[in-house]
C-alpha cells in the first residue's frame, strides 16, 4: 500500500505546480487579459458567428494535459469573439454591468486563498469584510444597524430570499397559500415570478397593478385592489415595487406605496437590482424617497456598481425572520457553534458553500473611492437624457417616457405608419450585424420598442454619438429597400 500511495502522490503532484510553472502561467494569462482589455476600444459589442462557438467542443475533458496557449486560443476564438461582448463600451443592451479590473484581482486573491466565507468560525475576517459591505449598503438605503443582509449571486436569489422571509414573517402556512395575494406590476422582473414558484407559492394570487403613463406602478390602483382582496377574505401580504425596472428603467412611487404597505400591514419589497446604487447620485435623491421604509431590498453590484456578473445583495430589516428561515446546524458542523460577533452568511441564505464574493466588491470600492462611482453613474444618467433628446431630432423616430435613470426607449415610425414593428425589428437586426453597438428590445402592449441601456462604466459620449450616427445610416438603408 505504501508503494501505491507514493506512486499516486507522484502522479497527483502536478496539481501543485512549481514557482516557475506558476510564473509562466501568470505571465501568459496576464498577457491574455492585457490584450483583451487594450483591444476593447476597437472590438465589437456583438460578434455574429456561423458556428456559434462550436469549436470549444474540440477541447472536451481528456486524461492527458493540454498546453495553456492552445486553451487561451480556444477561449479567444470560441468565447470572446462570439455573441455579446459585455465588456464593450458599445454594449447598451439588457442591463449592462462592466467587469471592473480590480474585481478580477479580488476574485483571484479570494480563489488563491480559497477562504470559506460562509461561516464566521472558518474565516472571521472574510465574514467581517462581507458584513461590513452589507452594513454600508444598509446605511446607503437608510436601513437601521439592526438590519441584516447577504451577498448573493444576483437579483434572482436575492428576490427568493426576500419572498421566503416575508412568507415566514407573516406566518403563512401551506393551507394559506391559495388565499395569499402578492402585488406587482407588469414591469416586475420575471425572477419574482420564478421565486414565488420556487417558494412553493404558485397557488397564490398575483395581482398585476395597472401602471401610469410613465410605466410606474399606480399607488391608487394598488390600494383599491388590496381593499377589494381584503373584503373578499383573501390574505394580502407582499408588495413588490421597483427602482429601475429592467424593461424601461421606471422608478415606482416608493413612498406612496410604503404608506399603503404600512396601512394594511403588508411586506414591502423593493427590487432595486438595476437602480439601487443610483442613490449615490445627489440629483436623484427624490426618486429614493421612502426607500428606508421597505422591509427588504434587492441590489445588484454587478449592475450599477459595474462589477462582474454573479454579485448581488439582499437587505432585510427583520433579522430574526431572516435567521428563522435559513439557520440550520448539522452535526458535523458542531465545532462551529459559538456565540459569534458577526452573522454567518450561511445562516441567512440558501447557500452553505459560497465563493468569497466580498473581495470583488471591496477591492475596487477601496482602490477607486465612492467619488469615481458617483461620477460614473451621474454620467450615465446624462448620456441617457442626451440620447433621448437627440434621437427626437431625427425624422421618423419617437421615444418612450423621459429616462428616470439610464434606460430609454425609441422606435422608428414610417410615414404611412405601417410595418412599424417589422421595420424596428429589421433595424435592430441591422445593428446586430454591424456589431459596433449592441441594443436590445421589448414589447409593451403589442408595440415593439428598442431599448438603450447605458451602464457600462467605459461608455461615454463618443459611443452615444456613434449610435445616433449608425441609426440614421441604417434607417436610410432600410427605407431605400422598400
Amino acid at each position: 500500500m505504501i508503494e501505491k500511495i507514493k506512486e499516486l502522490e507522484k502522479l497527483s503532484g502536478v496539481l501543485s505546480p512549481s514557482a516557475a510553472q506558476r510564473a509562466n502561467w501568470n505571465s501568459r494569462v496576464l498577457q491574455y487579459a492585457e490584450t483583451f482589455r487594450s483591444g476593447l476600444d476597437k472590438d465589437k459589442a456583438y460578434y455574429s458567428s456561423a458556428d456559434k462557438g462550436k469549436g470549444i467542443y474540440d477541447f472536451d475533458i481528456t486524461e492527458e494535459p493540454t498546453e495553456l496557449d492552445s486553451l487561451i486560443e480556444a477561449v479567444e476564438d470560441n468565447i470572446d469573439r462570439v455573441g455579446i461582448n459585455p465588456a464593450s463600451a458599445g454594449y447598451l443592451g439588457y442591463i449592462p454591468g462592466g467587469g471592473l479590473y480590480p474585481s478580477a484581482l479580488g476574485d483571484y486573491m479570494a480563489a488563491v486563498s480559497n477562504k470559506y466565507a460562509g461561516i464566521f468560525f472558518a474565516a472571521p475576517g472574510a465574514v467581517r469584510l462581507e458584513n461590513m459591505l452589507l452594513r454600508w449598503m444598509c446605511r446607503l438605503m437608510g436601513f437601521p444597524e439592526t438590519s441584516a443582509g447577504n451577498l448573493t449571486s444576483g437579483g434572482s436569489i436575492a428576490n427568493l430570499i426576500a419572498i421566503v422571509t416575508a412568507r415566514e414573517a407573516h406566518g403563512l402556512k401551506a393551507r394559506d397559500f391559495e388565499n395569499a395575494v402578492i402585488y406587482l406590476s407588469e414591469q416586475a422582473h420575471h425572477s419574482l415570478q420564478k421565486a414565488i414558484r420556487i417558494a412553493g407559492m404558485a397557488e397564490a394570487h398575483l395581482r398585476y397593478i395597472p401602471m401610469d403613463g410613465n410605466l410606474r406602478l399606480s399607488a391608487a390602483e394598488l390600494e383599491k385592489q388590496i381593499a377589494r382582496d381584503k373584503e373578499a377574505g383573501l390574505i394580502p401580504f407582499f408588495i413588490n415595487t421597483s427602482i429601475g425596472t429592467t424593461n424601461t428603467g421606471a422608478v415606482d412611487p416608493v413612498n406612496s406605496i410604503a404608506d399603503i404597505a404600512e396601512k394594511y400591514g403588508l411586506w414591502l419589497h423593493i427590487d432595486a437590482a438595476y437602480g439601487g446604487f443610483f442613490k449615490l447620485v445627489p440629483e436623484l435623491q427624490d426618486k429614493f424617497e421612502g426607500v428606508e421604509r421597505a422591509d427588504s431590498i434587492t441590489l445588484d453590484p454587478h449592475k450599477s456598481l459595474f462589477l462582474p456578473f454573479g454579485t448581488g445583495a439582499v437587505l432585510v430589516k427583520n433579522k430574526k425572520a431572516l435567521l428563522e428561515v435559513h439557520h440550520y446546524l448539522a452535526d458535523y458542523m458542531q465545532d462551529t457553534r459559538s456565540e459569534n460577533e458577526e452573522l454567518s452568511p450561511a445562516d441567512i441564505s440558501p447557500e452553505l458553500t459560497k465563493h468569497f464574493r466580498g473581495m470583488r466588491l471591496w477591492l475596487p470600492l477601496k482602490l477607486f473611492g465612492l467619488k469615481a462611482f458617483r461620477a460614473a453613474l451621474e454620467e450615465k444618467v446624462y448620456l441617457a437624457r442626451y440620447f433621448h433628446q437627440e434621437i427626437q431630432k431625427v425624422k421618423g423616430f419617437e421615444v418612450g417616457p423621459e429616462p428616470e435613470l439610464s434606460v430609454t426607449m425609441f422606435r422608428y415610425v414610417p410615414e404611412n405608419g405601417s410595418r412599424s414593428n417589422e421595420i424596428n425589428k429589421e433595424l435592430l437586426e441591422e445593428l446586430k450585424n454591424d456589431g459596433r453597438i449592441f441594443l436590445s428590445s421589448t414589447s409593451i402592449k403589442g408595440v415593439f420598442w428598442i431599448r438603450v441601456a447605458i451602464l457600462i462604466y467605459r461608455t461615454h459620449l463618443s459611443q452615444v454619438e456613434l449610435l445616433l450616427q449608425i441609426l440614421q445610416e441604417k434607417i436610410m438603408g432600410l427605407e431605400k429597400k422598400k
Side-chain angles (χ1 to χ4, degrees):
M1 184 180 290
I2 296 296
E3 290 304 314
K4 181 66 173 178
I5 290 172
K6 288 182 176 180
E7 179 187 353
L8 293 172
E9 178 183 335
K10 184 177 179 180
L11 288 171
S12 64
V14 297
L15 300 179
S16 298
S18 66
Q21 180 67 81
R22 294 197 304 272
N24 178 50
W25 285 345
N26 289 344
S27 174
R28 187 62 187 91
V29 169
L30 284 174
Q31 180 187 339
Y32 156 77
E34 286 304 309
T35 300
F36 177 82
R37 300 284 296 195
S38 61
L40 280 173
D41 289 343
K42 297 177 182 177
D43 285 348
K44 291 184 175 184
Y46 183 86
Y47 287 96
S48 296
S49 169
D51 64 9
K52 294 181 170 52
K54 283 185 179 178
I56 202 66
Y57 288 152
D58 295 335
F59 294 84
D60 204 349
I61 308 306
T62 57
E63 284 290 321
E64 300 304 318
T66 307
E67 288 296 319
L68 179 60
D69 281 352
S70 65
L71 299 178
I72 289 176
E73 185 178 346
V75 169
E76 291 173 334
D77 293 343
N78 299 290
I79 297 175
D80 290 349
R81 297 191 179 277
V82 179
I84 294 171
N85 178 5
S88 167
Y91 175 45
L92 312 180
Y94 306 109
I95 298 292
L100 289 167
Y101 186 72
S103 291
L105 299 179
D107 271 350
Y108 177 75
M109 293 169 67
V112 165
S113 67
N114 198 31
K115 278 292 183 182
Y116 169 55
I119 300 291
F120 182 83
F121 169 82
V127 171
R128 289 184 194 277
L129 184 145
E130 293 201 347
N131 285 346
M132 177 176 67
L133 289 166
L134 290 158
R135 282 194 288 271
W136 166 68
M137 294 181 205
C138 284
R139 290 196 302 273
L140 181 64
M141 295 297 149
F143 269 30
E145 284 292 317
T146 53
S147 305
N150 187 257
L151 292 182
T152 68
S153 60
S156 295
I157 295 299
N159 285 336
L160 176 62
I161 290 173
I163 201 158
V164 172
T165 304
R167 183 193 70 193
E168 297 304 298
H170 277 255
L172 294 181
K173 306 300 180 187
R175 61 178 175 271
D176 301 316
F177 292 174
E178 65 180 7
N179 290 317
V181 191
I182 297 168
Y183 303 87
L184 60 166
S185 85
E186 291 178 359
Q187 296 299 310
H189 195 272
H190 68 276
S191 64
L192 237 296
Q193 288 97 324
K194 186 187 290 187
I196 291 163
R197 189 168 61 206
I198 295 170
M201 300 194 70
E203 294 175 312
H205 300 270
L206 299 188
R207 301 293 194 220
Y208 293 96
I209 305 302
M211 298 173 290
D212 64 18
N214 290 314
L215 304 176
R216 298 175 295 204
L217 188 150
S218 168
E221 293 297 327
L222 171 66
E223 183 164 17
K224 289 177 186 176
Q225 185 61 59
I226 292 173
R228 285 195 292 266
D229 288 335
K230 287 184 77 69
E231 189 176 338
L234 298 176
I235 310 171
F237 92 100
F238 188 94
I239 302 171
N240 178 78
T241 186
S242 300
I243 293 181
T245 59
T246 301
N247 221 13
T248 68
V251 176
D252 291 334
V254 171
N255 209 34
S256 298
I257 294 170
D259 288 340
I260 296 166
E262 288 180 8
K263 179 178 178 180
Y264 293 95
L266 275 68
W267 183 284
L268 176 59
H269 175 66
I270 299 177
D271 186 346
Y274 155 47
F277 291 105
F278 280 94
K279 196 171 189 299
L280 290 167
V281 180
E283 185 183 332
L284 300 178
Q285 293 310 300
D286 62 317
K287 298 187 182 300
F288 289 84
E289 187 178 352
V291 69
E292 72 284 352
R293 301 170 66 188
D295 295 289
S296 55
I297 301 176
T298 287
L299 299 166
D300 268 359
H302 67 212
K303 293 185 173 75
S304 46
L305 282 184
F306 319 121
L307 265 63
F309 295 129
T311 322
V314 61
L315 311 178
V316 179
K317 271 187 186 163
N318 189 337
K319 179 165 61 176
K320 183 173 180 289
L322 190 61
L323 279 163
E324 286 179 350
V325 172
H326 297 98
H327 184 223
Y328 284 92
L329 274 176
D331 290 340
Y332 75 91
M333 295 185 71
Q334 64 184 15
D335 299 336
T336 70
R337 296 174 185 173
S338 63
E339 292 297 323
N340 297 326
E341 300 174 43
E342 297 278 352
L343 275 177
S344 292
D347 291 341
I348 51 175
S349 160
E351 293 183 297
L352 179 58
T353 303
K354 65 183 288 292
H355 176 60
F356 179 20
R357 296 188 183 102
M359 284 296 290
R360 59 162 59 182
L361 174 56
W362 178 73
L363 198 61
L365 284 174
K366 294 304 294 177
L367 286 174
F368 296 136
L370 283 178
K371 185 186 295 184
F373 289 89
R374 185 178 289 110
L377 289 169
E378 189 170 7
E379 179 196 17
K380 306 318 163 204
V381 171
Y382 276 96
L383 288 174
R385 292 175 184 175
Y386 177 75
F387 176 83
H388 185 84
Q389 167 191 294
E390 294 300 308
I391 193 63
Q392 295 180 70
K393 298 177 182 177
V394 183
K395 184 181 178 182
F397 284 95
E398 68 176 28
V399 296
E402 184 81 21
E404 296 200 72
L405 299 174
S406 67
V407 172
T408 187
M409 304 187 307
F410 71 95
R411 67 184 189 127
Y412 181 76
V413 181
E415 288 186 4
N416 61 10
S418 65
R419 296 187 64 252
S420 179
N421 282 358
E422 288 74 12
I423 200 167
N424 281 284
K425 290 175 185 177
E426 292 169 13
L427 175 58
L428 191 62
E429 190 64 23
E430 287 288 325
L431 284 167
K432 190 171 73 169
N433 291 336
D434 178 272
R436 288 175 290 172
I437 300 288
F438 179 82
L439 302 182
S440 58
S441 68
T442 188
S443 292
I444 298 175
K445 297 181 179 178
V447 177
F448 187 94
W449 292 88
I450 299 176
R451 300 169 63 258
V452 181
I454 303 173
L455 202 58
I456 298 286
Y457 63 90
R458 62 174 67 89
T459 300
H460 304 299
L461 184 59
S462 57
Q463 281 77 37
V464 175
E465 296 281 21
L466 176 60
L467 171 59
L468 290 164
Q469 173 194 325
I470 294 173
L471 287 171
Q472 292 181 68
E473 293 172 357
K474 297 301 182 185
I475 204 64
M476 284 176 62
L478 288 173
E479 287 285 14
K480 286 179 182 177
K481 288 180 183 179
K482 290 190 341 182

